[in-house]
Amino acid sequence: MSRQREMASDIVASGISDHDRNMETDVMEHESLDAFEGFENDTDTDKDSTELELEKAVFGDEAGFYQRLKEHGLTGDDPQQPIAIQREVRDEIEEDIQDIRDVDDADLFILDSGPSVKPLTLTTSRQYRESSSDTSEAAWHDSDDERITVSLANNPRLRKLRNYEGEDLVDGKEYSKRLRRQYERLYPVPDWATQAKTKKNRLRNESHSLKASWDSSQHSASEGEMSVDSDELSAPPLAKLLQQSGSLTDSNQVVLRGKRKLRPEVIDMQRTKDVGVAQPSAISSLVFHPHHPLLLSSGPASTIFLHHVSPRPPNPNPLLTSLHVQSTPLTTTSFQPPNGNKILFAGRRRYFHSWDLSSGRIDKICRVYGHQSEQKSMERFKMSPCGRWMGIVGSQRKGGGLINVLDAHTSQWIAEVRVESKGGVADFEWWGDGEGMTALGKAGEAVEWDVRQKKVVGRWVDEGAVGTTVAAMGGSGSGPEDLGGDRWVAVGSSSGIVNIYDRKGWGGGKIPAGPKPTRVFDQLTTPTSHLVFSPDGQLMVIASRWKRDALRLVHLPSCTVYRNWPTSSTPLGRITAVAFSPNSEMLAVANEQGKIRLWEIRG
């Protein structure tokens, strides 16, 4: 106790602060407690040498403590020295705490990203888009994202999202972009997805360009009779496409061989490589180019595909180009005869488009002036073989149905063909010379219309017609000249029955009112959807899309169905389009799965 009094008097004499007194009082109380505990431990047994050595190794001893004080320039002789050491250490700790008390957490840990002079400001998604190379737009925007503010510096898990050290506040849209960017850093996009994204961006850019041309043409349509867009679309011309394909530059014309004679009942069909990969939708239109080995296809996916027909390896039937039309599921696509320098395409809209392959220019024809109420959709059209006329099935059915005839070069209205039939127009087909057409109503009534006289030159009724669905003409050059030279006319019905008529004796105004069909085909049990003649007039395809593998191949002029093809294992599917090549040596069949099968007709 005398020692404690001496220490207390020394504290008073030295004039230290109250804080120091409190600290020294705590030390004295601690020493008193140690003395009391030592008094209690006097009754314990003495520690052996092993325990003492272990305590010294773990906790040290008094001699070692003073030795380390001497190494730091402190002497252990002064009894007040341990208290001074405590005071100095505590003062240093308090100063350090005071220095960092007002420092942000972001400043305590510095990222090794180099010096930064950018201020701590709010980064918005608009600023990020201006500096980002990604021009894609989101399909949907949440207005709440712009009102949300996220701190990247206060949350240790979000500091990795900062672009520089001093960045802190970002809005909701920018925060979602940063998260997406960080995810792509951890899980890079695979190559196959990158290629698909590149193709998608290219199609999107083409659709944006096409949309801009549509907007300008719609504005001009309100000022004129028939409006054609004057803006150009970045579509490559046909010459450039042919130059990019090595095999096309050497031999870019379809080889027209001498006419061969096919035998009936048995035919040699050799399947080749499919044309391209499966398209994103069913294929509703399939057409060969009249001169080049090109195949045009389209469907409800609003995309036109142009393939090079070349089944030879290593890259059989490659894709030359494609064109995406925004928000227009395509129904009909066709080359413009006779040269095929233009592609016409339309969907269920009040307009159609013309793609000039020579220059890459795409024009939009908005309406038929004076016939807007009759032509609410231009999805069903056909080009005349001469390339001068274009026939479009009208939407009005009052008093039957009608077909508007336009000039294929100027898109001006020329004439109107009316079919007096209940239910409207089922289908029509141009004559072989392009100077007239045969139109059929859904009740079976047919009219022969001459474009030169602009009047109906004959009428007849399909025998046993029950809901006429489709019509086709073939055998050009062997029929009556005043009716276009076509020998055969085939009519399909909703019952699957197909009637084929021989028109050899119909010339000179001798069109019978109720002709007898040369042959009745009853192989189909579902509605007939496709009737296609080969250009040489020796083959005819009848098919139905309402049943799998519902296709038959007919030999002409014998009008017999081939019995060896197709077989039960022929992969046809639900047929949506059929086309013959110009030399009648290739047959292309498209189905609902978006696949195009190709067969070589060997005879």
Side-chain angles (χ1 to χ4, degrees):
M1 296 298 293
S2 60
R3 180 181 177 188
Q4 296 176 3
R5 292 191 187 95
E6 290 176 0
M7 293 175 64
S9 61
D10 292 338
I11 292 172
V12 174
S14 60
I16 61 177
S17 64
D18 294 339
H19 176 75
D20 295 334
R21 293 192 187 97
N22 294 333
M23 184 180 68
E24 291 174 351
T25 303
D26 295 339
V27 174
M28 289 186 294
E29 291 176 357
H30 181 70
E31 291 179 353
S32 300
L33 183 60
D34 291 343
F36 179 75
E37 290 177 354
F39 176 74
E40 289 181 354
N41 293 335
D42 289 343
T43 60
D44 297 339
T45 58
D46 295 337
K47 301 178 181 179
D48 55 10
S49 60
T50 303
E51 187 175 355
L52 292 175
E53 290 179 0
L54 183 60
E55 284 186 356
K56 181 178 179 181
V58 176
F59 304 105
D61 56 358
E62 187 176 356
F65 175 70
Y66 284 108
Q67 179 64 29
R68 283 169 176 74
L69 292 179
K70 290 180 181 179
E71 292 176 359
H72 290 80
L74 302 174
T75 61
D77 299 336
D78 189 357
Q80 294 183 1
Q81 190 152 358
I83 300 175
I85 293 173
Q86 293 285 344
R87 184 188 305 118
E88 182 179 356
V89 172
R90 177 168 292 185
D91 291 342
E92 291 178 357
I93 293 175
E94 289 183 354
E95 290 177 0
D96 293 341
I97 293 175
Q98 186 67 27
D99 291 340
I100 66 174
R101 183 170 297 170
D102 299 329
V103 179
D104 260 347
D105 291 345
D107 296 333
L108 295 177
F109 304 94
I110 299 177
L111 298 175
D112 187 11
S113 58
S116 176
V117 295
K118 296 185 178 180
L120 186 63
T121 57
L122 174 64
T123 303
T124 63
S125 60
R126 184 183 299 274
Q127 296 172 352
Y128 181 77
R129 287 196 301 268
E130 292 176 355
S131 60
S132 176
S133 60
D134 187 8
T135 59
S136 60
E137 297 180 359
W140 176 77
H141 296 280
D142 190 354
S143 59
D144 292 338
D145 290 345
E146 298 179 355
R147 295 191 290 268
I148 296 176
T149 302
V150 181
S151 175
L152 302 180
N154 292 337
N155 192 337
R157 300 180 63 182
L158 301 181
R159 291 172 189 166
K160 64 175 72 71
L161 303 179
R162 296 182 296 180
N163 290 334
Y164 55 92
E165 179 184 341
E167 188 178 18
D168 186 9
L169 302 178
V170 296
D171 62 359
K173 289 186 177 180
E174 177 64 18
Y175 176 62
S176 63
K177 291 179 181 291
R178 299 289 181 89
L179 291 176
R180 187 177 295 107
R181 183 184 64 184
Q182 181 66 17
Y183 179 84
E184 291 178 353
R185 287 177 179 175
L186 298 176
Y187 305 99
V189 181
D191 295 338
W192 61 267
T194 303
Q195 297 174 0
K197 184 177 180 181
T198 303
K199 181 178 179 180
K200 183 178 180 181
N201 292 338
R202 176 171 57 81
L203 294 177
R204 184 186 296 113
N205 293 336
E206 293 176 353
S207 66
H208 290 338
S209 300
L210 186 55
K211 181 180 179 181
S213 66
W214 289 353
D215 294 339
S216 61
S217 64
Q218 188 68 26
H219 178 267
S220 60
S222 60
E223 301 177 357
E225 298 182 354
M226 180 172 293
S227 176
V228 178
D229 181 26
S230 60
D231 295 338
E232 293 188 0
L233 181 67
S234 57
L238 181 60
K240 184 177 181 181
L241 296 176
L242 297 180
Q243 291 173 2
Q244 293 174 351
S245 182
S247 59
L248 283 176
T249 56
D250 299 334
S251 176
N252 58 6
Q253 300 290 326
V254 174
V255 179
L256 298 177
R257 302 174 182 174
K259 186 175 181 179
R260 56 179 180 174
K261 198 136 177 103
L262 298 178
R263 57 181 176 175
E265 296 188 357
V266 179
I267 190 171
D268 185 7
M269 301 286 290
Q270 181 66 38
R271 184 184 173 187
T272 64
K273 292 292 184 179
D274 293 351
V275 178
V277 298
Q279 298 184 16
S281 69
I283 300 172
S284 59
S285 185
L286 193 65
V287 185
F288 279 92
H289 192 276
H291 301 295
H292 299 290
L294 304 176
L295 183 61
L296 180 67
S297 60
S298 65
S302 306
T303 304
I304 299 173
F305 296 91
L306 194 61
H307 288 86
H308 171 213
V309 181
S310 177
R312 294 170 297 184
N315 185 20
N317 305 319
L319 176 66
L320 290 183
T321 186
S322 61
L323 178 66
H324 182 75
V325 187
Q326 187 178 16
S327 303
T328 306
L330 298 176
T331 304
T332 307
T333 306
S334 175
F335 289 105
Q336 181 177 352
N339 298 323
N341 293 331
K342 288 185 179 181
I343 295 178
L344 304 177
F345 52 94
R348 187 164 293 181
R349 299 292 185 269
R350 293 177 178 267
Y351 48 80
F352 67 92
H353 288 84
S354 174
W355 179 8
D356 190 345
L357 296 178
S358 300
S359 61
R361 175 191 177 94
I362 294 181
D363 296 329
K364 177 184 176 183
I365 292 82
C366 295
R367 59 180 177 174
V368 180
Y369 181 75
H371 301 269
Q372 295 90 334
S373 60
E374 302 171 355
Q375 202 67 60
K376 296 182 180 180
S377 175
M378 299 187 181
E379 59 182 317
R380 298 173 60 191
F381 72 86
K382 289 185 179 181
M383 301 298 301
S384 65
C386 64
R388 298 174 56 192
W389 319 112
M390 177 181 183
I392 309 176
V393 177
S395 55
Q396 184 178 359
R397 297 180 181 178
K398 184 177 180 181
L402 58 89
I403 302 171
N404 286 316
V405 180
L406 309 182
D407 188 297
H409 301 288
T410 63
S411 300
Q412 297 293 325
W413 184 84
I414 300 299
E416 176 183 277
V417 182
R418 184 168 293 276
V419 180
E420 304 295 336
S421 177
K422 184 178 179 180
V425 178
D427 197 7
F428 74 97
E429 186 73 12
W430 287 97
W431 295 346
D433 59 0
E435 298 300 335
M437 68 171 65
T438 300
L440 285 97
K442 292 185 178 181
E445 296 86 351
V447 297
E448 304 287 346
W449 186 81
D450 194 322
V451 68
R452 294 161 293 195
Q453 304 178 35
K454 295 183 180 180
K455 69 176 184 179
V456 175
V457 295
R459 298 179 184 271
W460 55 278
V461 179
D462 180 30
E463 184 181 73
V466 181
T468 303
T469 57
V470 64
M473 303 183 72
S476 179
S478 57
E481 295 183 358
D482 56 342
L483 295 180
D486 297 295
R487 178 179 179 181
W488 306 104
V489 56
V491 181
S493 64
S494 58
S495 62
I497 300 296
V498 177
N499 294 333
I500 185 169
Y501 298 90
D502 192 343
R503 292 157 45 104
K504 269 191 174 182
W506 291 17
K510 300 178 181 180
I511 302 176
K516 295 294 182 180
T518 304
R519 178 71 184 273
V520 177
F521 300 99
D522 57 357
Q523 284 77 13
L524 302 182
T525 59
T526 53
T528 309
S529 59
H530 299 89
L531 289 175
V532 181
F533 285 88
S534 63
D536 61 4
Q538 298 189 71
L539 296 175
M540 181 182 70
V541 171
I542 59 176
S544 173
R545 66 174 304 172
W546 310 111
K547 185 178 180 180
R548 289 183 59 86
D549 303 332
L551 182 145
R552 295 296 181 268
L553 191 61
V554 179
H555 175 266
L556 298 174
S558 65
C559 297
T560 57
V561 178
Y562 284 101
R563 50 187 170 85
N564 69 318
W565 194 91
T567 64
S568 59
S569 60
T570 304
L572 296 174
R574 293 185 180 271
I575 300 166
T576 57
V578 180
F580 282 98
S581 63
N583 54 12
S584 301
E585 295 183 356
M586 303 289 290
L587 173 64
V589 180
N591 55 31
E592 284 188 348
Q593 296 179 345
K595 298 179 180 179
I596 303 176
R597 312 290 191 189
L598 198 63
W599 281 270
E600 181 182 354
I601 304 173
R602 295 185 174 180

